[in-house]
Amino acid sequence: MEFRLATGISILERTPGSMRALLAGLGTEWTTATEGPDSWSPYDIVGHLIHGERTDWIPRARIVLEQGANRRFAPFDRFAQFRESQGRSLAELLDEFARLRAESLATLAGWRLTDEQLALEAEHPELGVVSMRQLLATWVAHDLGHIAQTARVMAKQYREAVGPWRAYLPVLDR
Amino acid sequence: MEFRLATGISILERTPGSMRALLAGLGTEWTTATEGPDSWSPYDIVGHLIHGERTDWIPRARIVLEQGANRRFAPFDRFAQFRESQGRSLAELLDEFARLRAESLATLAGWRLTDEQLALEAEHPELGVVSMRQLLATWVAHDLGHIAQTARVMAKQYREAVGPWRAYLPVLDR
């Protein structure tokens, strides 16, 4: 499917509600569970989504849009949430993510991007030349990937508990 | 993690809301998209969850609980939704799933299952002897697996649109 702004936004605007539906009020046996060492819990994932709103999607889109002399993105810190979420409740993080996402989408809507602007390019520090269209499509796919990860991490907590049904549940061994 | 009834129910009661948050009001370019031939769309997945409420989880739990002469489960029809969802809107299906799930959980709560009852066994047509505890854990993991699948199927629609970022998004090639 080609990226279209309205179609992509229809996912972006749902993600805070999806994470809230999955996680709000749930016990820590689910929300802090991981897939093993060096993997993320649902709580960590919400912190990562917050960091993306602050430093990744809109800030990078602004770099592409402005077409300044330096169009190289700053590297994204994939571990910021371990520092920034400290001491905060999951409920607080879900609220903050919803607020930041609403702000991001208001900024995006305010730009009223044209097809020409969606074709503008910048430089990713590792991937090379990327376009505004690719950046926004990645924002959408990144959201959906982390929703899938959140559900998968929780499913895996019952890998043993399901007994022989494990053979029918590929999510438990993915 | 060992299966505990209250912990498992905390997921089961959220699933209709999670599917609704992900899908309600979304365009058909997302809700009827698949991962390719013989794979399921988000619309198909909701129909499958409905069929599970009608014929799988509580009906099988009843067979285990009653410990009758024939404790063998009927095979589950994994393709019933292609027949049963025909002509129905996604909004209708989401409502029906929420209603059926609430009924299932009311039935489950009414049983007030003891540890002894959670250890009761029956026979799966392919997997052999299974326990009530394993059946209920599977219900939970099955929900979470289909939530993960729903998000993954939608993410994959942007597999090409993300350009070089595909290398950073494992969900697109899973």
Side-chain angles (χ1 to χ4, degrees), chain B residues 13-156:
Chain B
E13 66 190 7
R14 272 173 175 75
T15 302
S18 298
M19 293 302 284
R20 197 185 293 278
L22 273 166
L23 300 175
L26 204 57
T28 53
E29 68 274 28
W30 292 114
T31 61
T32 65
T34 68
E35 294 172 292
D38 298 320
S39 72
W40 295 0
S41 69
Y43 175 88
D44 299 330
I45 292 166
V46 179
H48 169 71
L49 291 171
I50 287 172
H51 192 69
E53 294 308 297
R54 290 201 186 287
T55 70
D56 191 334
W57 310 110
I58 288 291
R60 286 182 168 186
R62 208 182 295 276
I63 289 169
V64 187
L65 192 58
E66 290 175 351
Q67 293 287 297
N70 179 7
R71 298 175 199 170
R72 195 180 166 92
F73 299 152
F76 181 67
D77 180 355
R78 291 183 61 256
F79 302 97
Q81 67 273 16
F82 297 109
R83 194 173 62 244
E84 296 176 358
S85 296
Q86 271 187 9
R88 306 185 61 201
S89 71
L90 178 58
E92 270 176 75
L93 297 182
L94 288 168
D95 285 348
E96 182 174 14
F97 176 48
R99 186 173 56 72
L100 291 172
R101 174 57 58 93
E103 287 174 19
S104 297
L105 292 179
T107 300
L108 180 62
W111 287 340
R112 304 174 67 92
L113 294 175
T114 62
D115 279 351
E116 289 69 31
Q117 288 171 315
L118 288 171
L120 291 173
E121 294 176 337
E123 197 192 337
H124 186 284
E126 289 172 354
L127 299 173
V129 175
V130 291
S131 70
M132 177 73 95
R133 195 183 299 274
Q134 290 168 343
L135 173 65
L136 298 177
T138 300
W139 191 3
V140 173
H142 178 269
D143 269 20
L144 292 168
H146 282 300
I147 292 169
Q149 179 189 18
T150 299
R152 186 187 73 227
V153 170
M154 295 197 289
K156 283 191 181 172

Side-chain angles (χ1 to χ4, degrees), chain A residues 8 21-22 26 37-38 46 72 88 95 104 108 111 118 120 126 137 155 166:
Chain A
L22 274 165
L26 204 58
D38 298 319
V46 179
R72 195 181 167 91
R88 307 186 60 201
D95 285 348
S104 297
L108 180 62
W111 288 339
L118 288 171
L120 291 173
E126 289 172 354
R166 182 166 170 178

Side-chain angles (χ1 to χ4, degrees), chain A residues 50 54 88 91-101:
Chain A
I50 287 173
R54 290 202 187 285
R88 307 186 60 201
E92 270 176 76
L93 297 182
L94 288 167
D95 285 348
E96 181 174 15
F97 175 49
R99 185 173 56 72
L100 291 171
R101 173 57 58 91

Side-chain angles (χ1 to χ4, degrees), chain A residues 97-116:
Chain A
F97 175 49
R99 185 173 56 72
L100 291 171
R101 173 57 58 91
E103 287 174 18
S104 297
L105 292 179
T107 299
L108 180 62
W111 288 339
R112 304 173 66 93
L113 295 176
T114 63
D115 278 352
E116 289 68 33

Side-chain angles (χ1 to χ4, degrees), chain A residues 1-5 7-8 10-11 14 17-27 29-30 57 60 73 124 126-131 133-142 144-145 147-152 154-169 171-172 174, chain B residues 1-5 7-8 10-11 14 17-27 29-30 57 60 73 124 126-131 133-142 144-145 147-152 154-169 171-172 174:
Chain A
M1 183 158 82
E2 276 187 41
F3 176 78
R4 284 181 49 242
L5 200 50
T7 312
S10 72
I11 297 291
R14 272 173 175 76
S18 298
M19 293 302 284
R20 199 186 291 278
L22 274 165
L23 299 175
L26 204 58
E29 68 274 27
W30 293 114
W57 311 110
R60 287 182 168 186
F73 299 151
H124 186 284
E126 289 172 354
L127 299 173
V129 175
V130 291
S131 70
R133 198 183 296 276
Q134 289 168 344
L135 172 65
L136 298 177
T138 300
W139 191 4
V140 173
H142 179 269
L144 292 168
I147 292 170
Q149 178 189 18
T150 299
R152 185 187 74 226
M154 295 197 288
K156 283 191 181 174
Q157 307 313 310
Y158 277 173
R159 186 151 49 184
E160 309 301 330
V162 301
W165 266 290
R166 182 166 170 178
Y168 287 1
L169 294 165
V171 70
L172 301 184
R174 198 160 263 149
Chain B
M1 182 157 84
E2 276 188 39
F3 175 79
R4 285 181 49 242
L5 201 48
T7 312
S10 71
I11 297 290
R14 272 173 175 75
S18 298
M19 293 302 284
R20 197 185 293 278
L22 273 166
L23 300 175
L26 204 57
E29 68 274 28
W30 292 114
W57 310 110
R60 286 182 168 186
F73 299 152
H124 186 284
E126 289 172 354
L127 299 173
V129 175
V130 291
S131 70
R133 195 183 299 274
Q134 290 168 343
L135 173 65
L136 298 177
T138 300
W139 191 3
V140 173
H142 178 269
L144 292 168
I147 292 169
Q149 179 189 18
T150 299
R152 186 187 73 227
M154 295 197 289
K156 283 191 181 172
Q157 307 312 311
Y158 275 173
R159 186 152 49 185
E160 309 301 330
V162 300
W165 265 291
R166 182 164 169 180
Y168 288 0
L169 295 165
V171 70
L172 300 184
R174 200 159 262 148

